[in-house]
Amino acid sequence: MGNADYVYPSTNVEGESPHRVAIPPPQPFVKTLKNSLKETFFPDDPLRQFKNQPASRKLVLGLQYFFPIFEWGPRYTLDFLKSDLISGITIASLAIPQGISYAKLANLPPILGLYSSFIPPLVYAMMGSSRDLAVGTVAVASLLTASMLGAEVNAMENPTLYLHLAFTATLFAGVFQASLGFLRLGFIVDFLSHATIVGFMAGAATVVCLQQLKGILGLNHFTHETDVVSVLRSVFSQTHEWRWESGVLGCLFLFFLLVTKYFSKKKPKFFWISAMAPLTSVILGSVLVYLTHAEKHGVEVIGKLKKGLNPMSFGDLVFVSPYLSTAFKTGVITGVIALAEGIAVGRSFSMFKNYHIDGNKEMIAIGMMNIAGSCTSCYLTTGPFSKSAVNYNAGCKTAMSNVVMAIAVMFTLLFLTPLFHYTPLVVLSAIIIAAMLGLIDYEAAIHLWKVDKFDFVVCMSAYIGVVFVSVEIGLVLAVAISVIRVLLFVARPRTFVQGNLPNSMVYRNVEQYTNAINVPGILILEIDAPIYFANINYLRERITRWINDEEDRIKSTGESSLQYVILDMTAVGNIDTSGISMFEEVKKLVDRRGLQLVLANPGSEVMKKMNKSELIEKIGQEWIYLTVAEAVAACNFMLHSTKPNPGKDQEPAAWNNV
């Protein structure tokens, strides 16, 4: 059984391998620290392109790094312009009505939605590395802005202060985003797992849709809370205030938007139908209200929009207590959400076109456009999926499509804003609902349930927290559960018993390979994680249990007594001083039991620390092998050439009492 019938080719007559596990040569601490920092903050090696380049070339490369427009601009062609022109005009037709709608969702003046679709896209076109990302406002960030700022300042009672706080929050968001990029801290955004984003987006979309019942039903007074219970209570406590004219109009336009979206999804080449539907709804709704004087019958309209380009708002920023902390908190939270969405969207479309985008450069670009936006009467912007998908389907070639969109918005600000006077708010509500329904990705939730139940729990926690408590609580809850999961992976690493696959020298997990055979007299354990202070107690207790279980199994089957415990350390990438102490304890416990501890394939970091702590001498260099197969061959050789350890069963209670 096992290796008893084999003569392992790489071992000599004494059962020892001609190759020892090497101890890596010592390196200066400064060099080790430098390598660790490089792997942490510069895994993509962005400075590689600057090596062996003259100073003039380094200057050009530096400009191209921070301003990618200098890289693709000189190669820009007329064919690219034709494609970007069509894409830019198409996304402008979507950005204009959505911008107005999302500004209303954030409890901000509608004109800010247009301002935010003018300056930020121009900044991103110069600094962004994605060819497909279309910049604009997003519903989730708008909802968060309304929820978090509204808790401190009532937008109806003090609109000026509320507006200035929105600009300040946008500044903090931009500074935070750009800082993450400059400091190479983009991995922080990775704590927003896919499951978290799916649940959070779906919950936010549900809340946004429910809040639009105010516009659909023509209600004047509505709750400022975002949870579903408060929203529904507000809706059904005012049934006498419902206006059927507004409800009918809203349902008709919502039906129109959903039908066009469904048609474009089934016929992708007609994507422009869905893209043009929001602007078409605005035009039709405005004409209908103007001809029927519906504003006199309970259908609210936008009213007068200020004409002209973005006014400067640098002097409007608020840096005084108690509002500073609110603006900072709002900026950081909305900034993280905007980054997660923008980078995820950019990476998704870059995979379709087979090009690479730098996450840290994207953070700098998104941060700088929000800093610029906060000084020019804009609120938070990023790369929303809806507009980016339209941009991609329209055949955009470069970020110039954002410039075309910005020019179209500029033209609207200069000449067309009076035309939006009669735009009914119910149409804006219908546009928001139609856009938000696409964020409720139930198919992704079903996929999470099939693949990973814990991820499904994270997803549903985010959704339930957002819908039934608040947007902020839902996000915090989902992130907290995700972090707890990471901590559990560290604190409770997997350990497995390995067995020999028949007619081979391969050893694998007996639970995964049911035909794997236990090797008589030898227990092979695999540790599947780095060994740190957080998991040493668990590992010590788990190794103890495995040995006790193996002893019980041997007694019940009458097999040969246990003599060797082999620890496969292939997956142990690192170990700390607490882990070294744990191995010393395990060694003492094994010795008291009369067993021999054997190590297989410890990595370079593990060997280095074991050598410095003199653990190798305590275990014995002769009991450390390159592979599990070599370790088993050596143990089998000893089992068949020597008598069992007479002291093995002298102190069984010593182990059991640990």
Side-chain angles (χ1 to χ4, degrees):
M1 185 180 293
N3 284 321
D5 301 328
Y6 291 87
V7 178
Y8 193 55
S10 65
T11 57
N12 58 23
V13 294
E14 295 181 354
E16 295 181 352
S17 169
H19 301 289
R20 294 285 188 183
V21 178
I23 300 173
Q27 292 184 342
F29 172 74
V30 174
K31 184 177 180 180
T32 303
L33 179 63
K34 180 181 177 181
N35 291 336
S36 298
L37 292 176
K38 181 179 178 181
E39 289 302 313
T40 301
F41 298 106
F42 301 95
D44 53 344
D45 195 13
L47 302 179
R48 181 181 180 183
Q49 58 181 330
F50 294 92
K51 293 178 181 178
N52 303 321
Q53 297 289 345
S56 58
R57 180 59 180 164
K58 288 181 178 179
L59 177 61
V60 172
L61 291 173
L63 283 174
Q64 291 178 348
Y65 181 83
F66 289 105
F67 298 93
I69 192 172
F70 289 116
E71 181 181 355
W72 56 262
R75 304 194 304 268
Y76 200 72
T77 64
L78 184 60
D79 289 336
F80 283 3
L81 179 60
K82 291 178 182 177
S83 299
D84 289 339
L85 192 62
I86 295 172
S87 301
I89 294 174
T90 305
I91 58 176
S93 67
L94 180 63
I96 292 170
Q98 278 195 351
I100 295 173
S101 303
Y102 294 158
K104 290 290 292 181
L105 181 61
N107 292 329
L108 294 168
I111 194 65
L112 258 68
L114 298 182
Y115 291 161
S116 302
S117 298
F118 174 44
I119 297 296
L122 294 176
V123 177
Y124 183 83
M126 293 187 293
M127 303 187 68
S129 59
S130 173
R131 305 171 194 168
D132 304 282
L133 204 68
V135 172
T137 56
V138 287
V140 175
S142 301
L143 176 64
L144 273 169
T145 300
S147 174
M148 299 184 72
L149 293 184
E152 185 72 27
V153 178
N154 191 306
M156 301 297 293
E157 297 175 359
N158 201 340
T160 302
L161 177 59
Y162 183 88
L163 178 65
H164 294 174
L165 284 177
F167 295 151
T168 310
T170 303
L171 174 66
F172 282 126
V175 170
F176 178 72
Q177 292 167 333
S179 298
L180 290 182
F182 280 118
L183 298 175
R184 313 288 294 181
L185 297 174
F187 59 85
I188 292 177
V189 180
D190 294 337
F191 280 98
L192 290 175
S193 65
H194 173 67
T196 301
I197 293 175
V198 168
F200 176 76
M201 289 295 186
T206 302
V207 170
V208 169
C209 289
L210 290 173
Q211 287 198 329
Q212 297 319 299
L213 292 175
K214 174 186 177 183
I216 296 291
L217 299 174
L219 299 175
N220 293 320
H221 305 287
F222 206 72
T223 179
H224 294 290
E225 301 295 329
T226 58
D227 64 284
V228 63
V229 175
S230 299
V231 171
L232 291 179
R233 183 187 295 119
S234 182
V235 169
F236 288 102
S237 64
Q238 303 183 73
T239 53
H240 58 285
E241 298 287 341
W242 293 6
R243 298 186 180 275
W244 69 267
E245 300 93 340
S246 180
V248 170
L249 197 61
C251 291
L252 287 175
F253 279 108
L254 180 59
F255 178 76
F256 168 71
L257 291 166
L258 294 178
V259 168
T260 56
K261 180 177 287 190
Y262 178 80
F263 179 76
S264 294
K265 187 176 181 180
K266 292 294 183 181
K267 306 285 185 180
K269 64 180 180 179
F270 293 107
F271 68 91
W272 53 271
I273 293 179
S274 176
M276 298 292 290
L279 185 58
T280 303
S281 298
V282 169
I283 295 172
L284 291 176
S286 301
V287 171
L288 184 62
V289 169
Y290 179 77
L291 295 177
T292 62
H293 301 288
E295 75 276 14
K296 298 179 180 179
H297 300 281
V299 178
E300 292 188 64
V301 297
I302 290 180
K304 184 179 180 180
L305 287 181
K306 186 179 179 181
K307 201 173 181 180
L309 300 180
N310 302 37
M312 298 301 294
S313 57
F314 182 78
D316 297 332
L317 301 178
V318 180
F319 298 110
V320 296
S321 181
Y323 306 115
L324 181 61
S325 59
T326 301
F328 177 78
K329 182 176 69 172
T330 303
V332 170
I333 293 179
T334 55
V336 170
I337 296 299
L339 271 186
E341 181 173 359
I343 293 176
V345 170
R347 284 176 176 169
S348 299
F349 289 111
S350 69
M351 288 191 294
F352 294 147
K353 290 188 177 179
N354 196 28
Y355 69 92
H356 174 72
I357 66 169
D358 187 328
N360 288 292
K361 287 168 65 175
E362 285 295 283
M363 292 179 187
I364 295 173
I366 294 174
M368 294 306 295
M369 77 182 187
N370 279 314
I371 292 174
S374 68
C375 300
T376 52
S377 301
C378 304
Y379 79 106
L380 191 71
T381 54
T382 186
F385 179 80
S386 57
K387 281 196 279 289
S388 299
V390 170
N391 196 30
Y392 172 82
N393 290 325
C396 69
K397 299 298 182 183
T398 69
M400 184 60 71
S401 59
N402 280 290
V403 177
V404 175
M405 177 186 71
I407 293 173
V409 173
M410 179 187 71
F411 184 81
T412 302
L413 286 168
L414 289 174
F415 305 107
L416 302 181
T417 51
L419 299 180
F420 292 97
H421 183 280
Y422 290 99
T423 301
L425 296 182
V426 67
V427 171
L428 301 182
S429 296
I431 291 172
I432 292 175
I433 293 175
M436 289 299 96
L437 290 177
L439 294 180
I440 304 177
D441 194 351
Y442 63 89
E443 292 180 350
I446 294 173
H447 179 72
L448 291 174
W449 171 259
K450 291 180 179 178
V451 176
D452 192 323
K453 300 297 190 292
F454 200 102
D455 268 352
F456 178 79
V457 171
V458 172
C459 174
M460 293 309 298
S461 298
Y463 181 82
I464 293 171
V466 170
V467 171
F468 288 98
V469 186
S470 70
V471 178
E472 308 95 286
I473 295 298
L475 179 61
V476 170
L477 181 62
V479 172
I481 294 177
S482 298
V483 171
I484 289 173
R485 187 183 192 186
V486 173
L487 294 177
L488 284 175
F489 281 144
V490 174
R492 294 293 182 267
R494 301 293 299 275
T495 58
F496 309 100
V497 173
Q498 291 188 354
N500 175 233
L501 297 183
N503 302 316
S504 75
M505 304 304 297
V506 179
Y507 294 83
R508 291 292 183 268
N509 178 9
V510 295
E511 293 182 1
Q512 181 179 1
Y513 297 88
T514 55
N515 61 334
I517 303 170
N518 292 312
V519 183
I522 303 173
L523 174 62
I524 309 168
L525 299 177
E526 175 187 356
I527 301 175
D528 196 27
I531 301 175
Y532 296 123
F533 65 92
N535 58 28
I536 58 168
N537 289 327
Y538 171 78
L539 285 175
R540 181 176 57 246
E541 293 167 0
R542 196 67 188 89
I543 292 171
T544 303
R545 286 170 54 198
W546 280 125
I547 295 178
N548 285 335
D549 291 344
E550 180 67 8
E551 287 284 355
D552 293 340
R553 188 189 69 80
I554 288 173
K555 290 179 181 178
S556 62
T557 59
E559 296 180 9
S560 301
S561 60
L562 184 63
Q563 297 289 325
Y564 296 95
V565 177
I566 299 175
L567 297 182
D568 181 4
M569 302 181 67
T570 303
V572 181
N574 210 332
I575 189 171
D576 65 359
T577 54
S578 299
I580 296 292
S581 300
M582 184 272 290
F583 267 107
E584 292 176 346
E585 293 180 33
V586 170
K587 171 63 177 170
K588 293 177 182 178
L589 295 171
V590 169
D591 288 344
R592 287 206 303 268
R593 189 63 182 263
L595 306 176
Q596 177 61 54
L597 181 66
V598 184
L599 303 184
N601 195 28
S604 60
E605 284 296 313
V606 176
M607 283 297 292
K608 182 169 63 177
K609 293 179 181 179
M610 287 173 59
N611 179 56
K612 290 182 178 180
S613 64
E614 300 181 353
L615 181 61
I616 291 178
E617 287 75 14
K618 296 176 182 177
I619 295 176
Q621 178 77 50
E622 68 276 13
W623 295 111
I624 303 177
Y625 293 88
L626 285 171
T627 65
V628 172
E630 289 185 357
V632 171
C635 293
N636 268 330
F637 179 82
M638 297 297 292
L639 282 171
H640 291 85
S641 61
T642 61
K643 294 181 180 180
N645 189 334
K648 174 182 181 306
D649 294 318
Q650 289 180 358
E651 297 181 359
W655 184 275
N656 293 325
N657 292 331
V658 175

